[in-house]
Amino acid sequence: MLKLRNALQHRLTEAMAQVAPPPDGPVAFPLAPATRPEFGDFQANGAMGLAKVLGRPPRQIAQAVVDHLQVDDLCHPPQVAGPGFINFTVRPEVLAAEVQARLDQPRLGVPMAQPRQRVVVDFSSPNIAKEMHVGHLRSTIIGDCIARLLSFRGHRVLRLNHLGDWGTQFGMLIAHLKHVAPRSLSGEEHVDLGDLVAFYRQAKARFDEDEGFREQSRGEVVKLQAGEPESLRAWGLLCRQSRRAFQAVYDRLDVQLVERGESFYNRLLPTVVADLEQAGLLVVDDGARCVFLEGVRGKDGQPLPLIVQKRDGGYNYATTDLAAIRQRLAGPDGGGEGADRVAYVTDAGQANHFAAVFQVAQRAGWAPTGCQLQHVPFGLVQGTDGKKLKTRSGATVRLRDLLDEAVARARRDLVERMAQEQRQAEEGFVEQVAETVGIAAVKYADLSQNRTTNYQFSFDRMLSLQGDTAPYLLYAYVRIQGIARQGGLLGGGEEQPADLWLQAPQELSLARKLLNFDEVILEVEQDLLPNRLCAYLFGLSQTFNRFYDQLPVLKAPPRSRPTRLALCRLSGQTMGLGLGLLGIRTLDRM
Ligand code: ARG
Protein backbone atom coordinates (compact mmCIF):
# COMPACT_ATOMS: atom_id res chain seq x y z
CA MET A 1 0.00 0.00 0.00
CA LEU A 2 3.04 2.22 0.20
CA LYS A 3 2.73 3.51 -3.35
CA LEU A 4 -0.97 4.21 -2.96
CA ARG A 5 -0.45 5.88 0.35
CA ASN A 6 2.24 8.12 -1.13
CA ALA A 7 0.01 9.02 -4.07
CA LEU A 8 -2.89 9.87 -1.80
CA GLN A 9 -0.66 11.73 0.59
CA HIS A 10 0.55 13.89 -2.24
CA ARG A 11 -2.96 14.81 -3.32
CA LEU A 12 -4.00 15.44 0.24
CA THR A 13 -1.13 17.85 0.79
CA GLU A 14 -2.10 19.69 -2.40
CA ALA A 15 -5.73 20.00 -1.32
CA MET A 16 -4.67 21.17 2.10
CA ALA A 17 -2.47 23.87 0.60
CA GLN A 18 -5.58 25.29 -1.05
CA VAL A 19 -7.71 25.15 2.06
CA ALA A 20 -5.11 26.67 4.33
CA PRO A 21 -1.94 27.81 2.65
CA PRO A 22 1.18 28.08 4.80
CA PRO A 23 2.25 29.81 7.02
CA ASP A 24 -1.10 29.19 8.78
CA GLY A 25 -1.77 25.89 7.13
CA PRO A 26 0.26 22.76 7.80
CA VAL A 27 3.30 21.69 5.89
CA ALA A 28 2.04 18.12 6.02
CA PHE A 29 -1.35 16.58 6.56
CA PRO A 30 -0.43 13.04 7.45
CA LEU A 31 -2.21 9.99 6.16
CA ALA A 32 -2.07 6.77 8.17
CA PRO A 33 -3.36 3.26 7.67
CA ALA A 34 -6.94 3.02 8.98
CA THR A 35 -7.17 1.71 12.51
CA ARG A 36 -10.16 -0.50 11.69
CA PRO A 37 -11.36 -2.12 8.46
CA GLU A 38 -14.71 -0.31 8.66
CA PHE A 39 -12.86 2.99 8.35
CA GLY A 40 -11.53 1.96 4.95
CA ASP A 41 -7.86 1.78 4.04
CA PHE A 42 -6.44 5.10 5.17
CA GLN A 43 -7.26 7.83 7.59
CA ALA A 44 -6.23 11.49 7.85
CA ASN A 45 -6.67 13.06 11.27
CA GLY A 46 -4.96 16.39 10.70
CA ALA A 47 -8.13 18.50 10.86
CA MET A 48 -8.38 18.16 14.62
CA GLY A 49 -4.95 19.61 15.23
CA LEU A 50 -5.62 22.48 12.84
CA ALA A 51 -8.91 23.59 14.36
CA LYS A 52 -7.23 25.87 16.89
CA VAL A 53 -4.70 27.34 14.48
CA LEU A 54 -7.31 28.16 11.84
CA GLY A 55 -10.09 28.97 14.26
CA ARG A 56 -12.56 26.72 12.43
CA PRO A 57 -14.35 23.56 13.54
CA PRO A 58 -12.42 20.43 12.54
CA ARG A 59 -15.29 18.87 10.61
CA GLN A 60 -15.52 21.99 8.49
CA ILE A 61 -11.81 21.86 7.74
CA ALA A 62 -12.04 18.17 6.87
CA GLN A 63 -14.99 18.83 4.56
CA ALA A 64 -13.16 21.68 2.85
CA VAL A 65 -10.20 19.41 2.23
CA VAL A 66 -12.45 16.72 0.80
CA ASP A 67 -14.06 19.29 -1.49
CA HIS A 68 -10.66 20.17 -2.90
CA LEU A 69 -9.48 16.58 -3.23
CA GLN A 70 -9.08 14.87 -6.59
CA VAL A 71 -8.87 11.16 -5.80
CA ASP A 72 -11.69 9.58 -7.82
CA ASP A 73 -9.24 7.49 -9.81
CA LEU A 74 -7.92 5.87 -6.61
CA CYS A 75 -10.70 5.88 -4.01
CA HIS A 76 -14.37 5.94 -3.37
CA PRO A 77 -15.47 9.43 -2.34
CA PRO A 78 -13.63 10.17 0.95
CA GLN A 79 -15.84 10.31 4.02
CA VAL A 80 -15.69 12.80 6.83
CA ALA A 81 -16.37 10.97 10.07
CA GLY A 82 -16.48 11.56 13.81
CA PRO A 83 -15.00 14.84 15.01
CA GLY A 84 -13.16 15.40 11.71
CA PHE A 85 -11.47 12.27 10.40
CA ILE A 86 -11.23 11.73 6.68
CA ASN A 87 -11.54 8.08 5.66
CA PHE A 88 -10.35 6.69 2.36
CA THR A 89 -11.37 3.40 0.79
CA VAL A 90 -9.37 2.31 -2.22
CA ARG A 91 -11.35 1.14 -5.24
CA PRO A 92 -11.31 -2.60 -5.95
CA GLU A 93 -9.98 -2.12 -9.45
CA VAL A 94 -7.07 -0.09 -8.05
CA LEU A 95 -6.31 -2.85 -5.55
CA ALA A 96 -6.53 -5.38 -8.37
CA ALA A 97 -4.05 -3.43 -10.46
CA GLU A 98 -1.68 -3.27 -7.51
CA VAL A 99 -1.93 -7.01 -6.97
CA GLN A 100 -1.28 -7.51 -10.65
CA ALA A 101 1.77 -5.26 -10.60
CA ARG A 102 3.23 -7.06 -7.64
CA LEU A 103 2.70 -10.61 -8.84
CA ASP A 104 5.93 -12.45 -9.63
CA GLN A 105 8.02 -9.42 -8.70
CA PRO A 106 11.04 -10.42 -6.63
CA ARG A 107 10.64 -7.46 -4.23
CA LEU A 108 6.85 -7.70 -3.95
CA GLY A 109 6.49 -3.94 -3.84
CA VAL A 110 9.17 -3.26 -1.26
CA PRO A 111 11.35 -0.39 -2.48
CA MET A 112 15.12 -0.35 -2.17
CA ALA A 113 16.26 1.90 0.65
CA GLN A 114 17.44 5.35 -0.33
CA PRO A 115 20.16 6.04 0.66
CA ARG A 116 21.65 2.61 1.26
CA GLN A 117 23.29 2.52 4.63
CA ARG A 118 26.30 0.66 5.87
CA VAL A 119 24.96 -1.34 8.81
CA VAL A 120 26.84 -3.44 11.33
CA VAL A 121 24.73 -6.02 13.13
CA ASP A 122 26.62 -7.44 16.10
CA PHE A 123 24.91 -10.64 17.14
CA SER A 124 25.25 -14.21 18.44
CA SER A 125 28.71 -13.60 19.99
CA PRO A 126 29.19 -16.62 22.27
CA ASN A 127 32.31 -17.17 24.33
CA ILE A 128 35.16 -19.57 23.57
CA ALA A 129 35.25 -22.72 25.68
CA LYS A 130 31.91 -21.87 27.22
CA GLU A 131 28.54 -23.21 26.35
CA MET A 132 26.58 -21.37 23.71
CA HIS A 133 23.38 -20.94 25.69
CA VAL A 134 19.77 -20.00 24.99
CA GLY A 135 20.60 -16.29 25.31
CA HIS A 136 23.03 -16.68 22.43
CA LEU A 137 20.36 -18.59 20.56
CA ARG A 138 17.97 -15.65 20.88
CA SER A 139 20.65 -13.25 19.76
CA THR A 140 21.49 -15.48 16.81
CA ILE A 141 17.90 -15.84 15.65
CA ILE A 142 16.87 -12.20 16.14
CA GLY A 143 20.14 -10.82 14.79
CA ASP A 144 19.97 -13.01 11.71
CA CYS A 145 16.42 -11.87 10.97
CA ILE A 146 17.36 -8.21 11.34
CA ALA A 147 20.38 -8.66 9.10
CA ARG A 148 18.30 -10.42 6.46
CA LEU A 149 15.66 -7.74 6.47
CA LEU A 150 18.10 -4.85 6.27
CA SER A 151 19.98 -6.55 3.42
CA PHE A 152 16.73 -7.09 1.60
CA ARG A 153 16.01 -3.38 1.90
CA GLY A 154 19.27 -2.83 0.07
CA HIS A 155 21.53 -1.83 2.94
CA ARG A 156 25.09 -3.10 3.05
CA VAL A 157 25.07 -5.27 6.12
CA LEU A 158 28.09 -6.60 7.97
CA ARG A 159 27.11 -9.47 10.27
CA LEU A 160 29.67 -9.54 13.04
CA ASN A 161 30.25 -12.26 15.56
CA HIS A 162 31.88 -10.50 18.50
CA LEU A 163 33.19 -13.76 19.85
CA GLY A 164 34.47 -13.79 23.42
CA ASP A 165 37.88 -15.11 22.39
CA TRP A 166 40.16 -13.17 24.69
CA GLY A 167 40.57 -12.53 28.36
CA THR A 168 42.12 -13.82 31.54
CA GLN A 169 40.18 -17.09 31.40
CA PHE A 170 42.62 -18.23 28.71
CA GLY A 171 45.47 -18.34 31.21
CA MET A 172 43.69 -21.04 33.14
CA LEU A 173 42.65 -22.90 30.00
CA ILE A 174 46.16 -22.92 28.56
CA ALA A 175 47.69 -24.00 31.87
CA HIS A 176 45.24 -26.85 32.01
CA LEU A 177 45.89 -27.80 28.41
CA LYS A 178 49.61 -28.01 29.13
CA HIS A 179 48.86 -30.53 31.85
CA VAL A 180 46.46 -32.80 30.06
CA ALA A 181 47.82 -32.69 26.52
CA PRO A 182 51.32 -31.22 26.48
CA ARG A 183 52.20 -32.68 23.13
CA SER A 184 49.29 -31.02 21.41
CA LEU A 185 51.09 -27.70 21.68
CA SER A 186 54.13 -28.74 19.76
CA GLY A 187 51.84 -30.07 17.06
CA GLU A 188 53.19 -33.61 17.65
CA GLU A 189 49.85 -34.80 18.78
CA HIS A 190 46.46 -33.95 17.46
CA VAL A 191 44.01 -33.63 20.32
CA ASP A 192 40.34 -33.39 20.16
CA LEU A 193 39.27 -31.73 23.35
CA GLY A 194 35.79 -32.98 22.67
CA ASP A 195 33.57 -31.32 25.11
CA LEU A 196 35.33 -28.03 25.68
CA VAL A 197 32.77 -27.06 28.22
CA ALA A 198 33.71 -29.94 30.46
CA PHE A 199 37.33 -28.97 29.89
CA TYR A 200 36.54 -25.44 31.03
CA ARG A 201 34.85 -26.76 34.13
CA GLN A 202 37.86 -28.92 35.07
CA ALA A 203 40.20 -26.00 34.56
CA LYS A 204 37.98 -23.77 36.66
CA ALA A 205 37.79 -26.33 39.45
CA ARG A 206 41.57 -26.56 39.59
CA PHE A 207 41.85 -22.81 39.48
CA ASP A 208 39.58 -22.47 42.46
CA GLU A 209 41.37 -25.16 44.49
CA ASP A 210 45.02 -24.93 43.72
CA GLU A 211 47.11 -21.83 44.41
CA GLY A 212 50.02 -23.20 42.37
CA PHE A 213 47.74 -23.59 39.39
CA ARG A 214 46.42 -20.09 39.85
CA GLU A 215 49.96 -18.75 39.81
CA GLN A 216 50.70 -20.70 36.65
CA SER A 217 47.52 -19.45 35.00
CA ARG A 218 48.43 -15.87 35.67
CA GLY A 219 51.82 -16.52 34.11
CA GLU A 220 50.09 -17.88 31.03
CA VAL A 221 47.98 -14.73 30.70
CA VAL A 222 51.12 -12.63 30.66
CA LYS A 223 52.75 -14.87 28.07
CA LEU A 224 49.67 -14.83 25.88
CA GLN A 225 49.45 -11.07 26.01
CA ALA A 226 53.12 -10.83 25.17
CA GLY A 227 52.38 -12.92 22.08
CA GLU A 228 54.59 -15.90 22.88
CA PRO A 229 54.28 -18.40 20.04
CA GLU A 230 53.52 -21.38 22.24
CA SER A 231 50.78 -19.54 24.09
CA LEU A 232 49.30 -18.30 20.86
CA ARG A 233 49.33 -21.83 19.53
CA ALA A 234 47.46 -23.10 22.57
CA TRP A 235 44.97 -20.24 22.32
CA GLY A 236 44.45 -20.98 18.62
CA LEU A 237 43.81 -24.61 19.38
CA LEU A 238 41.14 -23.79 21.94
CA CYS A 239 39.47 -21.31 19.60
CA ARG A 240 39.45 -23.76 16.72
CA GLN A 241 37.75 -26.40 18.79
CA SER A 242 35.06 -24.05 20.03
CA ARG A 243 34.53 -22.60 16.62
CA ARG A 244 33.75 -26.03 15.23
CA ALA A 245 30.98 -26.53 17.77
CA PHE A 246 29.53 -23.06 17.12
CA GLN A 247 29.68 -23.55 13.39
CA ALA A 248 27.63 -26.73 13.65
CA VAL A 249 24.86 -24.71 15.29
CA TYR A 250 25.09 -21.91 12.71
CA ASP A 251 24.92 -24.40 9.84
CA ARG A 252 21.88 -25.98 11.33
CA LEU A 253 20.21 -22.62 11.82
CA ASP A 254 21.30 -21.45 8.37
CA VAL A 255 22.99 -18.38 9.81
CA GLN A 256 25.99 -16.62 8.31
CA LEU A 257 28.38 -14.60 10.43
CA VAL A 258 31.73 -12.97 10.00
CA GLU A 259 33.90 -13.83 12.96
CA ARG A 260 35.49 -10.82 14.53
CA GLY A 261 36.20 -11.74 18.09
CA GLU A 262 37.39 -9.57 20.92
CA SER A 263 41.01 -10.48 20.11
CA PHE A 264 40.71 -8.55 16.86
CA TYR A 265 40.64 -5.32 18.87
CA ASN A 266 43.69 -6.01 21.05
CA ARG A 267 46.04 -3.86 19.03
CA LEU A 268 43.54 -0.99 19.14
CA LEU A 269 43.08 -0.87 22.91
CA PRO A 270 45.99 1.49 23.71
CA THR A 271 44.74 3.87 21.01
CA VAL A 272 41.31 4.00 22.63
CA VAL A 273 42.81 5.04 25.93
CA ALA A 274 45.04 7.60 24.22
CA ASP A 275 42.07 8.97 22.30
CA LEU A 276 39.99 9.37 25.42
CA GLU A 277 42.90 11.02 27.14
CA GLN A 278 43.22 13.50 24.32
CA ALA A 279 39.50 14.20 24.34
CA GLY A 280 39.91 15.12 28.00
CA LEU A 281 37.54 12.40 29.16
CA LEU A 282 39.95 10.22 31.08
CA VAL A 283 40.10 10.39 34.87
CA VAL A 284 42.35 8.30 37.10
CA ASP A 285 40.30 6.98 39.96
CA ASP A 286 41.88 4.76 42.57
CA GLY A 287 44.56 3.79 40.06
CA ALA A 288 42.08 2.82 37.36
CA ARG A 289 41.57 4.93 34.27
CA CYS A 290 37.95 5.65 33.61
CA VAL A 291 35.40 7.97 32.07
CA PHE A 292 32.70 9.34 34.33
CA LEU A 293 29.32 8.94 32.71
CA GLU A 294 26.95 11.85 32.36
CA GLY A 295 23.51 11.44 33.81
CA VAL A 296 24.30 8.04 35.37
CA ARG A 297 24.58 7.82 39.12
CA GLY A 298 25.11 4.87 41.39
CA LYS A 299 23.07 3.98 44.45
CA ASP A 300 25.15 6.34 46.56
CA GLY A 301 24.25 9.24 44.27
CA GLN A 302 27.82 9.47 42.96
CA PRO A 303 28.49 9.62 39.19
CA LEU A 304 29.34 6.18 37.82
CA PRO A 305 32.63 5.55 36.09
CA LEU A 306 33.20 3.34 33.06
CA ILE A 307 36.54 1.70 33.69
CA VAL A 308 38.65 1.43 30.56
CA GLN A 309 41.96 0.36 32.07
CA LYS A 310 42.31 -1.42 35.35
CA ARG A 311 44.89 -0.60 37.95
CA ASP A 312 47.09 -3.48 36.79
CA GLY A 313 47.05 -2.10 33.24
CA GLY A 314 44.58 -4.73 31.98
CA TYR A 315 41.67 -3.89 29.74
CA ASN A 316 38.11 -5.17 30.00
CA TYR A 317 34.90 -5.92 28.12
CA ALA A 318 34.01 -2.23 27.91
CA THR A 319 37.41 -1.22 26.52
CA THR A 320 37.05 -3.81 23.79
CA ASP A 321 33.59 -2.51 22.96
CA LEU A 322 34.93 1.02 22.79
CA ALA A 323 37.64 -0.11 20.40
CA ALA A 324 35.02 -1.97 18.38
CA ILE A 325 32.61 0.92 18.09
CA ARG A 326 35.42 3.29 17.19
CA GLN A 327 36.59 0.95 14.44
CA ARG A 328 33.05 0.40 13.14
CA LEU A 329 32.28 4.10 12.94
CA ALA A 330 35.58 5.21 11.50
CA GLY A 331 35.71 5.67 7.75
CA PRO A 332 37.66 3.36 5.46
CA ASP A 333 40.57 5.83 5.47
CA GLY A 334 40.92 5.30 9.18
CA GLY A 335 40.81 1.53 8.73
CA GLY A 336 37.15 1.40 9.81
CA GLU A 337 33.87 0.13 8.52
CA GLY A 338 32.22 3.49 7.93
CA ALA A 339 28.98 2.32 9.53
CA ASP A 340 25.90 4.56 9.47
CA ARG A 341 24.08 2.30 11.84
CA VAL A 342 25.33 -0.22 14.41
CA ALA A 343 22.91 -2.60 16.11
CA TYR A 344 23.91 -4.80 19.05
CA VAL A 345 21.64 -7.74 19.71
CA THR A 346 22.10 -8.90 23.30
CA ASP A 347 20.06 -9.60 26.39
CA ALA A 348 18.46 -6.62 28.11
CA GLY A 349 20.88 -7.07 31.01
CA GLN A 350 23.59 -5.36 28.97
CA ALA A 351 21.55 -2.18 28.42
CA ASN A 352 23.65 -0.08 30.82
CA HIS A 353 26.86 -1.32 29.30
CA PHE A 354 25.82 -0.25 25.81
CA ALA A 355 24.35 3.05 26.96
CA ALA A 356 27.75 3.79 28.51
CA VAL A 357 29.67 2.71 25.41
CA PHE A 358 27.44 4.83 23.16
CA GLN A 359 27.77 7.84 25.40
CA VAL A 360 31.56 7.65 25.49
CA ALA A 361 31.68 7.15 21.71
CA GLN A 362 29.59 10.29 21.24
CA ARG A 363 31.59 12.38 23.65
CA ALA A 364 34.89 11.19 22.20
CA GLY A 365 33.69 12.41 18.81
CA TRP A 366 33.80 8.98 17.14
CA ALA A 367 30.17 9.01 16.06
CA PRO A 368 29.52 11.03 12.89
CA THR A 369 26.34 13.08 12.98
CA GLY A 370 23.31 11.16 11.84
CA CYS A 371 24.71 7.74 12.64
CA GLN A 372 22.47 5.46 14.63
CA LEU A 373 23.72 3.39 17.56
CA GLN A 374 21.23 0.91 18.84
CA HIS A 375 21.15 -1.67 21.53
CA VAL A 376 18.56 -4.24 20.44
CA PRO A 377 17.71 -5.87 23.75
CA PHE A 378 15.79 -9.03 24.40
CA GLY A 379 14.31 -10.68 27.47
CA LEU A 380 15.12 -13.96 29.16
CA VAL A 381 14.22 -17.38 27.93
CA GLN A 382 12.20 -19.12 30.61
CA GLY A 383 10.78 -22.57 31.10
CA THR A 384 7.02 -23.06 31.22
CA ASP A 385 7.30 -22.61 34.99
CA GLY A 386 8.39 -19.02 34.41
CA LYS A 387 11.85 -19.74 35.81
CA LYS A 388 15.14 -19.75 33.99
CA LEU A 389 15.21 -22.53 31.39
CA LYS A 390 16.92 -25.62 32.84
CA THR A 391 17.10 -29.31 32.11
CA ARG A 392 15.28 -31.68 34.43
CA SER A 393 18.51 -32.26 36.34
CA GLY A 394 18.88 -28.52 36.77
CA ALA A 395 21.76 -28.05 34.32
CA THR A 396 21.78 -25.33 31.68
CA VAL A 397 20.21 -26.46 28.45
CA ARG A 398 22.69 -27.13 25.68
CA LEU A 399 21.72 -25.64 22.37
CA ARG A 400 22.49 -28.74 20.44
CA ASP A 401 20.19 -30.78 22.66
CA LEU A 402 17.46 -28.23 22.42
CA LEU A 403 17.50 -28.24 18.62
CA ASP A 404 17.70 -32.04 18.57
CA GLU A 405 14.66 -32.29 20.76
CA ALA A 406 12.64 -29.85 18.64
CA VAL A 407 13.46 -31.89 15.56
CA ALA A 408 12.73 -35.21 17.27
CA ARG A 409 9.34 -33.96 18.40
CA ALA A 410 8.54 -32.54 14.97
CA ARG A 411 9.39 -35.93 13.58
CA ARG A 412 7.16 -37.75 16.03
CA ASP A 413 4.23 -35.45 15.20
CA LEU A 414 4.78 -35.97 11.50
CA VAL A 415 4.98 -39.74 11.67
CA GLU A 416 1.81 -39.81 13.76
CA ARG A 417 -0.07 -37.53 11.39
CA MET A 418 1.04 -39.58 8.39
CA ALA A 419 -0.16 -42.79 10.02
CA GLN A 420 -3.55 -41.20 10.69
CA GLU A 421 -3.81 -40.00 7.13
CA GLN A 422 -2.51 -43.36 5.87
CA ARG A 423 0.29 -41.69 3.99
CA GLN A 424 3.49 -43.46 3.08
CA ALA A 425 6.70 -41.56 2.73
CA GLU A 426 10.34 -42.14 2.19
CA GLU A 427 12.72 -41.70 5.05
CA GLY A 428 14.41 -38.77 3.30
CA PHE A 429 11.12 -36.89 3.29
CA VAL A 430 10.47 -37.43 6.99
CA GLU A 431 14.04 -36.42 7.79
CA GLN A 432 13.85 -33.21 5.83
CA VAL A 433 10.41 -32.14 7.01
CA ALA A 434 11.24 -32.84 10.65
CA GLU A 435 14.47 -30.83 10.51
CA THR A 436 12.80 -27.91 8.74
CA VAL A 437 9.74 -27.82 10.99
CA GLY A 438 11.71 -28.33 14.20
CA ILE A 439 14.16 -25.52 13.49
CA ALA A 440 11.40 -23.28 12.12
CA ALA A 441 9.36 -23.81 15.29
CA VAL A 442 12.23 -22.76 17.54
CA LYS A 443 12.99 -19.68 15.45
CA TYR A 444 9.40 -18.60 15.05
CA ALA A 445 8.54 -19.03 18.72
CA ASP A 446 11.36 -16.65 19.51
CA LEU A 447 10.75 -14.11 16.75
CA SER A 448 7.00 -13.91 17.23
CA GLN A 449 7.35 -12.59 20.78
CA ASN A 450 8.03 -8.94 21.30
CA ARG A 451 11.75 -9.38 21.91
CA THR A 452 11.85 -6.99 24.84
CA THR A 453 9.77 -9.29 27.03
CA ASN A 454 10.84 -12.57 28.60
CA TYR A 455 9.56 -15.55 26.76
CA GLN A 456 8.47 -18.97 27.84
CA PHE A 457 9.97 -21.79 25.92
CA SER A 458 7.48 -24.59 25.28
CA PHE A 459 8.03 -27.34 22.75
CA ASP A 460 4.36 -28.26 22.84
CA ARG A 461 3.23 -24.77 22.02
CA MET A 462 5.79 -24.01 19.34
CA LEU A 463 5.20 -27.26 17.48
CA SER A 464 1.42 -27.10 17.46
CA LEU A 465 -0.28 -27.01 14.09
CA GLN A 466 -2.83 -24.63 15.56
CA GLY A 467 -2.24 -21.05 16.55
CA ASP A 468 0.54 -18.60 15.98
CA THR A 469 3.26 -21.14 15.23
CA ALA A 470 5.71 -22.02 12.49
CA PRO A 471 3.88 -25.27 11.63
CA TYR A 472 0.65 -23.32 11.10
CA LEU A 473 2.36 -20.86 8.76
CA LEU A 474 4.27 -23.56 6.92
CA TYR A 475 1.07 -25.48 6.51
CA ALA A 476 -0.64 -22.50 4.87
CA TYR A 477 2.31 -22.26 2.52
CA VAL A 478 2.12 -25.99 1.76
CA ARG A 479 -1.58 -25.65 0.97
CA ILE A 480 -0.78 -23.03 -1.62
CA GLN A 481 1.87 -25.22 -3.18
CA GLY A 482 -0.75 -27.97 -3.32
CA ILE A 483 -3.06 -25.70 -5.29
CA ALA A 484 -0.18 -24.92 -7.59
CA ARG A 485 0.36 -28.60 -8.24
CA GLN A 486 -3.31 -29.27 -8.88
CA GLY A 487 -3.95 -26.10 -10.82
CA GLY A 488 -0.68 -26.32 -12.60
CA LEU A 489 -1.12 -22.72 -13.58
CA LEU A 490 0.05 -20.83 -10.59
CA GLY A 491 3.39 -20.17 -12.18
CA GLY A 492 1.87 -17.83 -14.78
CA GLY A 493 1.07 -18.89 -18.30
CA GLU A 494 -2.15 -18.78 -20.28
CA GLU A 495 -4.47 -18.22 -17.40
CA GLN A 496 -2.58 -15.08 -16.45
CA PRO A 497 -5.44 -12.59 -16.73
CA ALA A 498 -5.22 -9.21 -18.37
CA ASP A 499 -7.23 -7.72 -15.54
CA LEU A 500 -7.95 -9.14 -12.14
CA TRP A 501 -11.42 -8.82 -10.79
CA LEU A 502 -11.82 -8.46 -7.05
CA GLN A 503 -15.34 -8.83 -5.86
CA ALA A 504 -16.00 -11.23 -2.98
CA PRO A 505 -15.17 -9.79 0.47
CA GLN A 506 -12.70 -12.65 1.03
CA GLU A 507 -10.88 -11.70 -2.15
CA LEU A 508 -10.77 -8.07 -1.17
CA SER A 509 -9.49 -8.68 2.32
CA LEU A 510 -6.82 -11.06 1.05
CA ALA A 511 -5.74 -8.52 -1.56
CA ARG A 512 -5.54 -5.77 1.06
CA LYS A 513 -3.54 -7.97 3.37
CA LEU A 514 -1.12 -8.90 0.61
CA LEU A 515 -0.63 -5.27 -0.35
CA ASN A 516 0.31 -4.37 3.21
CA PHE A 517 3.53 -6.35 3.07
CA ASP A 518 5.64 -3.35 2.06
CA GLU A 519 4.46 -1.21 4.97
CA VAL A 520 5.28 -3.95 7.46
CA ILE A 521 8.80 -4.39 6.15
CA LEU A 522 9.47 -0.67 6.49
CA GLU A 523 8.19 -0.69 10.05
CA VAL A 524 10.45 -3.56 11.05
CA GLU A 525 13.37 -1.78 9.44
CA GLN A 526 12.74 1.14 11.78
CA ASP A 527 12.06 -0.48 15.11
CA LEU A 528 13.82 -3.81 14.59
CA LEU A 529 10.87 -5.76 15.98
CA PRO A 530 10.61 -9.00 13.98
CA ASN A 531 7.42 -9.91 15.85
CA ARG A 532 5.59 -7.42 13.64
CA LEU A 533 6.54 -9.39 10.57
CA CYS A 534 5.48 -12.59 12.34
CA ALA A 535 2.12 -11.09 13.27
CA TYR A 536 1.64 -10.00 9.68
CA LEU A 537 2.44 -13.46 8.29
CA PHE A 538 0.17 -15.12 10.82
CA GLY A 539 -2.64 -12.73 9.86
CA LEU A 540 -1.96 -13.39 6.21
CA SER A 541 -2.13 -17.15 6.76
CA GLN A 542 -5.45 -16.77 8.54
CA THR A 543 -6.85 -14.49 5.85
CA PHE A 544 -5.66 -16.87 3.20
CA ASN A 545 -7.14 -19.90 4.95
CA ARG A 546 -10.49 -18.14 5.29
CA PHE A 547 -10.42 -17.21 1.62
CA TYR A 548 -9.54 -20.74 0.59
CA ASP A 549 -12.02 -22.43 2.92
CA GLN A 550 -14.91 -20.20 1.88
CA LEU A 551 -14.40 -19.75 -1.85
CA PRO A 552 -13.79 -22.32 -4.57
CA VAL A 553 -10.50 -21.69 -6.33
CA LEU A 554 -9.78 -24.51 -8.76
CA LYS A 555 -13.50 -24.96 -9.34
CA ALA A 556 -14.27 -21.25 -9.34
CA PRO A 557 -16.46 -19.76 -12.10
CA PRO A 558 -14.40 -18.76 -15.14
CA ARG A 559 -14.70 -15.06 -14.39
CA SER A 560 -13.17 -15.49 -10.92
CA ARG A 561 -10.77 -18.36 -11.36
CA PRO A 562 -7.80 -16.41 -12.76
CA THR A 563 -8.11 -13.80 -10.03
CA ARG A 564 -8.29 -16.39 -7.28
CA LEU A 565 -5.35 -18.30 -8.66
CA ALA A 566 -3.41 -15.05 -8.85
CA LEU A 567 -4.27 -14.30 -5.21
CA CYS A 568 -3.05 -17.77 -4.25
CA ARG A 569 0.13 -17.24 -6.17
CA LEU A 570 0.85 -13.88 -4.58
CA SER A 571 0.00 -15.33 -1.16
CA GLY A 572 2.58 -18.06 -1.72
CA GLN A 573 5.17 -15.56 -2.86
CA THR A 574 4.54 -13.25 0.06
CA MET A 575 4.65 -16.08 2.60
CA GLY A 576 7.82 -17.42 1.00
CA LEU A 577 9.58 -14.07 1.04
CA GLY A 578 8.36 -13.18 4.54
CA LEU A 579 9.40 -16.50 6.04
CA GLY A 580 12.73 -16.20 4.25
CA LEU A 581 13.31 -12.86 5.95
CA LEU A 582 12.64 -14.53 9.27
CA GLY A 583 15.30 -17.08 8.36
CA ILE A 584 12.73 -19.85 8.03
CA ARG A 585 12.93 -22.36 5.23
CA THR A 586 9.70 -23.36 3.49
CA LEU A 587 8.48 -26.77 2.36
CA ASP A 588 6.37 -27.78 -0.60
CA ARG A 589 4.84 -30.70 1.28
CA MET A 590 4.64 -31.64 4.90
N1 ARG B 1 30.08 -12.37 24.44
C1 ARG B 1 29.05 -11.59 25.02
C2 ARG B 1 28.15 -12.47 25.89
O1 ARG B 1 28.19 -13.67 25.79
C3 ARG B 1 28.17 -10.88 24.01
C4 ARG B 1 28.88 -9.87 23.14
C5 ARG B 1 27.94 -8.88 22.52
N2 ARG B 1 28.58 -7.95 21.66
C6 ARG B 1 29.35 -6.93 22.06
N3 ARG B 1 29.88 -6.15 21.17
N4 ARG B 1 29.57 -6.71 23.33
O2 ARG B 1 27.37 -11.95 26.67
Side-chain angles (χ1 to χ4, degrees), residues 11-25:
R11 309 246 189 119
L12 194 58
T13 312
E14 274 177 353
M16 196 60 225
Q18 293 184 39
V19 173
D24 286 352

Side-chain angles (χ1 to χ4, degrees), residues 122 125 127 136 162 317 321 344 346 350 354:
D122 175 318
S125 311
N127 304 312
H136 296 122
H162 192 85
Y317 186 57
D321 258 324
Y344 296 82
T346 79
Q350 300 197 36
F354 285 108

